[in-house]
Amino acid sequence: MKRERAYVDNRRNKILEIMKTNPKVRVDELAKIFDVSLITIRRDLQFLEDKKLLIRFYGGATYNKVEETKEDELNMYKTLIAKYAASLVEDGDSLFINTSKNALEILKYVTCKNVTVITNNGKVLNMDYPEDISVILTGGEIRHPKDAMIGDFAIRNVQNIFPKKAFIGCSGISPVSGMTTEIAGEVKVNELMIKNATKEVYILADHTKIGKNSSFTSASIKEINHLITDEKAPVEVLNELKNLGVKIHQVHKGDF
């Protein structure tokens, strides 16, 4: 199942690569290139259109360059957020990092020594990080596509760990719902990571997540001391969060 999903994702990524040099493609041509049915290609194009990466027309599709520019900018801000978060790590720190892709990216930019990371993010197994970082996996039931480690086993392990800091990504953060996620199974682990960090808890959220209320609350605003976001975050929401006691850290283009 996992291998099949990887095959589909790879084909869709290759379709986008083709469209970067040939912005207009036809369904029948793509079906021949990938040796799959017309229905399969139509499904791929529908998926990519839902992601706003292309625009379909009868018999084919065109590349959505506007959306690509937005996506590139968003990725840039996420990288800046990760770099800023890494600058807050000190020699000898122990850290919680949850299943957030943005939070895990912090590891690439840590320059301190003797740092221990405890995470329920299985994707750490496939990434490169400095030798001075030691990684401890919480264990637990693996949930795809995030490779999240959740369930009773993960919870029992996390509840007995008390690191200095926590860097927690989210699906949304707002004055109303606090820090939220779309995955119910991740809530308890997030709660424990936030509760058990002995010094500081940092929530990572790019501007698209500020003011957004997702399905399940992992922490109320009262439990959140720090928010790392970017310069495009809505000012009115940030002001509300400040008034509720959250310290705002904003990254800007050109930082780092």
Side-chain angles (χ1 to χ4, degrees):
M1 189 71 177
K2 187 175 181 180
R3 184 177 298 175
E4 181 181 349
R5 182 168 53 249
Y7 176 76
V8 172
D9 290 343
N10 184 55
R11 184 179 64 243
R12 290 170 177 172
N13 289 333
K14 286 183 178 179
I15 290 173
L16 290 176
E17 288 297 320
I18 290 171
M19 296 185 74
K20 286 181 180 179
T21 55
N22 183 21
K24 184 179 288 189
V25 295
R26 297 194 60 81
V27 172
D28 55 351
E29 293 172 348
L30 290 174
K32 289 180 181 178
I33 291 171
F34 294 102
D35 192 24
V36 295
S37 69
L38 297 177
I39 293 176
T40 295
I41 292 298
R42 290 192 187 104
R43 287 174 181 163
D44 289 342
L45 297 182
Q46 182 63 59
F47 175 86
L48 295 171
E49 185 179 51
D50 291 343
K51 295 288 186 181
K52 299 182 179 179
L53 297 172
L54 54 78
I55 301 168
R56 295 177 68 198
F57 60 82
Y58 184 77
T62 58
Y63 198 50
N64 191 346
K65 291 184 178 181
V66 173
E67 197 61 33
E68 181 191 28
T69 301
K70 290 181 182 178
E71 188 70 19
D72 287 345
E73 182 183 62
L74 183 58
N75 288 334
M76 179 267 294
Y77 280 126
K78 287 181 177 181
T79 297
L80 290 176
I81 287 171
K83 288 182 176 180
Y84 180 86
S87 74
L88 301 172
V89 178
E90 301 171 295
D91 287 347
D93 265 351
S94 50
L95 319 171
F96 271 141
I97 289 180
N98 72 339
T99 59
S100 161
K101 180 180 178 182
N102 199 186
L104 191 64
E105 192 178 7
I106 294 171
L107 273 62
K108 298 178 183 177
Y109 308 110
V110 171
T111 58
C112 300
K113 296 181 180 179
N114 301 320
V115 175
T116 301
V117 173
I118 304 97
T119 183
N120 65 329
N121 193 330
K123 291 190 183 299
V124 72
L125 294 171
N126 296 316
M127 74 177 294
D128 294 324
Y129 49 84
E131 292 183 358
D132 280 319
I133 296 178
S134 298
V135 173
I136 299 172
L137 292 172
T138 64
E141 179 184 350
I142 299 291
R143 289 291 181 89
H144 302 296
K146 294 175 68 177
D147 291 338
M149 298 181 181
I150 60 174
D152 291 342
F153 191 88
I155 290 168
R156 282 197 298 271
N157 287 334
V158 172
Q159 67 186 5
N160 294 314
I161 302 172
F162 301 88
K164 294 177 181 177
K165 298 169 184 173
F167 294 92
I168 309 295
C170 62
S171 298
I173 181 170
S174 79
V176 176
S177 299
M179 176 215 147
T180 52
T181 179
E182 285 297 333
I183 312 298
E186 296 180 17
V187 170
K188 187 61 179 179
V189 176
N190 286 341
E191 286 179 348
L192 286 169
M193 286 183 171
I194 291 168
K195 177 184 176 182
N196 286 8
T198 58
K199 289 182 67 176
E200 303 290 352
V201 175
Y202 298 92
I203 305 300
L204 281 63
D206 63 72
H207 63 270
T208 65
K209 299 174 181 178
I210 305 300
K212 178 181 177 182
N213 300 308
S214 291
S215 302
F216 305 98
T217 296
S218 292
S220 69
I221 288 299
K222 292 181 181 179
E223 300 172 271
I224 297 170
N225 304 119
H226 299 273
L227 169 64
I228 306 175
T229 187
D230 62 73
E231 61 188 336
K232 294 191 73 174
V235 175
E236 64 277 8
V237 180
L238 293 184
N239 286 337
E240 286 187 66
L241 294 173
K242 285 179 185 177
N243 291 336
L244 292 169
V246 181
K247 182 176 180 180
I248 307 297
H249 307 253
Q250 278 184 283
V251 298
H252 301 78
K253 287 182 181 177
D255 288 351
F256 302 98

